[in-house]
Amino acid sequence: MIMRHKIIDGKAISKQIRTELKQQTETFHSETGVLPGLAFILVGENPASQVYVKMKGKACAEVGFHSVTKVLPADISQQELVKLIDAFNNDPKIHGILTQLPLPDHIDEAAVIESIDPNKDVDGFHPINVGKLLIGLKTFRPCTPAGIQELLIRSNIDPAGKHVVVVGRSNIVGKPIANILVQKQKWANAVVTICHTGARDLLYYTKQADIVIAAVGRAEVITGDMLKEGAVVIDVGVNRIDDPGSEKGYKLVGDVHFASAVNVASAITPVPGGVGPMTIAMLLANTLQAAREQIVG
Ligand code: GUN
């Protein structure tokens, strides 16, 4: 039995993956003469989005990718945005395109996602890639769900045969992580339940879970008393709550109430330092995969 720590250290696991990717990028570059290229599009001035795009750009530089960031004004027309995406679709130096979400209300998010070349859709949000994921074909797995599966793998927690309860049904996390873990594949093959705001009795489901994946987007709503003894807890939430004592005046907490859950769980991800860093690592992995497929075939 491999000993593992109760607190799953996403920061350390992400660092390990990025070290591996840096090496793979060097090999790819020496074999093909090509650097994996990723284009970021940021519309408007959402502070969280600005932070995320900056962190992603820095991560690209660290593994030796080529990256470009285009910042567009919040009032840009959808047509202009799609034109820019199309330029990246046709740019041979760019293998992955990421339009940071959410987009301003006047822009149809679905239409923008569909304008990205599915072969460059490193977010795995294009309907073609969503469909491939659902039927178990190779595709780009959305970065946060892929990061969750990778955390489980590298912590030697095999979801096969276990009851995974996903709380949240977003297209970015809830639905795709359920789709990934339900597949009859290695490090998957779980029995999956998806809970959401329509659930009459959330506790009924979470109490039965061997693995709880919390992707609700509300601070500390999953508490220790809602968990089965020994459950594995994956916390996807990043919520700002007031913290008058701190310099910034706020602190980040997850969707899980960590202090009560940690006593019940056999393994748990912290916030920050759990799932978050994995999202970026998987974005890099998807971009290297995209470059490989476009250059080598
Ligand atoms: N906004 C929040 N998460 C994500 C993500 O994984 N990708 C993009 N493009 N936008 C996001």
Side-chain angles (χ1 to χ4, degrees):
M1 163 79 184
I2 295 172
M3 281 296 290
R4 80 179 119 76
H5 298 290
K6 182 165 184 164
I7 312 286
I8 300 174
D9 188 346
K11 208 170 150 187
I13 296 172
S14 158
K15 194 165 170 218
Q16 172 66 32
I17 294 170
R18 284 180 284 127
T19 303
E20 294 166 13
L21 287 168
K22 187 172 178 184
Q23 246 153 30
Q24 291 166 19
T25 302
E26 276 167 21
T27 307
F28 176 76
H29 181 245
S30 66
E31 285 172 3
T32 63
V34 174
L35 291 177
L38 179 50
F40 298 100
I41 302 169
L42 174 61
V43 183
E45 292 174 3
N46 179 318
S49 292
Q50 286 174 332
V51 171
Y52 289 139
V53 169
K54 200 168 158 197
M55 284 166 62
K56 290 170 186 176
K58 192 165 157 256
C60 280
E62 279 169 11
V63 294
F65 286 6
H66 162 64
S67 85
V68 187
T69 302
K70 285 271 177 207
V71 181
L72 304 173
D75 62 357
I76 187 130
S77 71
Q78 185 172 317
Q79 200 187 5
E80 282 296 311
L81 174 56
V82 169
K83 225 167 98 181
L84 176 65
I85 290 173
D86 217 42
F88 285 134
N89 282 340
N90 292 306
D91 183 341
K93 285 200 169 67
I94 295 298
H95 309 102
I97 303 168
L98 184 146
T99 307
Q100 186 67 27
L101 304 179
L103 291 169
D105 289 344
H106 70 278
I107 294 177
D108 177 355
E109 217 159 79
V112 170
I113 289 169
E114 284 187 48
S115 76
I116 297 173
D117 179 343
N119 297 313
K120 296 191 177 186
D121 170 38
V122 287
D123 261 326
F125 292 166
H126 192 289
I128 286 189
N129 292 327
V130 175
K132 283 185 172 177
L133 186 72
L134 185 63
I135 60 175
L137 297 178
K138 188 170 187 301
T139 181
F140 298 112
R141 295 170 310 156
C143 304
T144 301
I148 293 169
Q149 190 185 34
E150 200 61 35
L151 273 183
L152 295 175
I153 293 170
R154 293 185 187 237
S155 307
N156 200 31
I157 299 168
D158 191 347
K162 308 240 174 78
H163 186 194
V164 174
V165 173
V166 179
V167 191
R169 59 176 151 189
S170 72
N171 292 337
I172 296 182
V173 183
K175 285 179 201 159
I177 190 61
N179 279 343
I180 288 169
L181 294 180
V182 82
Q183 298 297 326
K184 195 167 183 176
Q185 288 171 0
K186 270 182 86 173
W187 296 100
N189 209 23
V191 176
V192 180
T193 299
I194 305 182
C195 291
H196 44 73
T197 45
R200 231 173 268 156
D201 183 7
L202 182 60
L203 182 75
Y204 169 82
Y205 300 100
T206 57
K207 266 283 183 195
Q208 296 178 43
D210 301 309
I211 301 174
V212 173
I213 299 176
V216 194
R218 278 197 292 135
E220 299 177 320
V221 290
I222 308 292
T223 49
D225 58 331
M226 296 169 72
L227 304 169
K228 182 165 81 174
E229 186 72 40
V232 171
V233 180
I234 306 293
D235 189 353
V236 185
V238 183
N239 308 287
R240 279 187 188 190
I241 62 168
D242 288 342
D243 183 14
S246 78
E247 200 179 302
K248 290 177 182 159
Y250 68 88
K251 65 173 175 176
L252 294 180
V253 298
D255 294 348
V256 176
H257 184 260
F258 188 86
S260 60
V262 73
N263 297 318
V264 188
S266 62
I268 184 167
T269 62
V271 176
V275 173
M278 295 299 292
T279 298
I280 296 184
M282 300 324 282
L283 171 68
L284 301 172
N286 280 354
T287 304
L288 179 57
Q289 179 189 327
R292 249 197 209 116
E293 287 169 3
Q294 284 160 53
I295 303 299
V296 184

